[in-house]
């Protein structure tokens, strides 16, 4: 709702690294445009969006927001002429893990806010990379462009 963390990985798909944190701009979607730009410039082959679920796997309002964000991203990618799949990946505990890692690194809670979204994005991407390698298959839920509901 507030920030979007960006991460990338090397060409071999081994190690995820942080890129930047964007402020979410729900009115103008300038953050979506930045993600599309980064996707193009980095020649990304896939984009993962974290899907926040409860520990029991349920989806609440934040998951719906992530789904909407991913759908907006798919449309923006298509409008930019990019054929890059966008997939939703379960992000349970990534923010908790990110906070623990930052705390272990000696950063105080105030400093966490500046980088937590990047660290969480790295965790989400690394999880996707590792799962794809282990399964030798794509992971996550493929997001498709939503077609307008046209009724006669």
């Amino acid at each position: 709702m507030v920030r979007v963390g960006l991460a990338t990985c090397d060409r071999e798909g081994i190690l995820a690294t942080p890129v930047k944190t964007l402020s979410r701009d729900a009115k103008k979607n300038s953050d979506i445009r930045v993600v599309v730009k980064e996707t193009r410039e980095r020649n990304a082959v896939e984009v993962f969006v974290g899907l926040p679920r409860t520990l029991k796997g349920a989806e609440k309002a934040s998951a719906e927001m992530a789904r909407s964000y991913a759908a907006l991203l798919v449309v923006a990618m298509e409008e930019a002429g990019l054929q890059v799949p966008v997939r939703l990946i379960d992000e349970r505990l990534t923010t908790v893990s990110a906070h623990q890692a930052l705390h272990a690194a000696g950063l105080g809670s105030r400093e966490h806010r500046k980088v937590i979204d990047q660290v969480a994005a790295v965790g989400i991407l690394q999880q996707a990379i590792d799962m794809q390698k282990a399964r030798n298959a794509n992971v996550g839920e493929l997001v498709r462009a939503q077609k307008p509901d046209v009724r006669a």
Side-chain angles (χ1 to χ4, degrees), residues 1-7 20-26 30-32 34-35 49-50 52 62 65-66 69 91 95 98-99 102 109-121 124:
M1 287 178 47
V2 179
R3 291 175 307 275
V4 177
L6 255 53
K20 64 175 79 174
T21 299
L22 306 171
S23 293
R24 177 66 183 111
D25 178 9
S30 60
D31 55 315
I32 295 271
V34 171
V35 174
V49 174
S62 57
M65 285 185 274
Y69 189 85
E91 68 166 47
T95 302
H99 275 293
L102 291 170
S109 295
R110 284 196 172 156
E111 290 93 15
H112 284 199
R113 285 187 213 128
K114 298 173 187 170
V115 295
I116 192 67
D117 299 289
Q118 288 178 50
V119 175
I124 292 165

Side-chain angles (χ1 to χ4, degrees), residues 42-64:
R42 294 172 184 279
N43 295 317
V45 296
E46 206 160 22
V47 173
F48 291 98
V49 174
L51 181 62
R53 290 185 167 137
T54 67
L55 290 178
K56 292 183 178 181
E59 292 187 17
K60 303 235 174 176
S62 57
E64 185 55 40

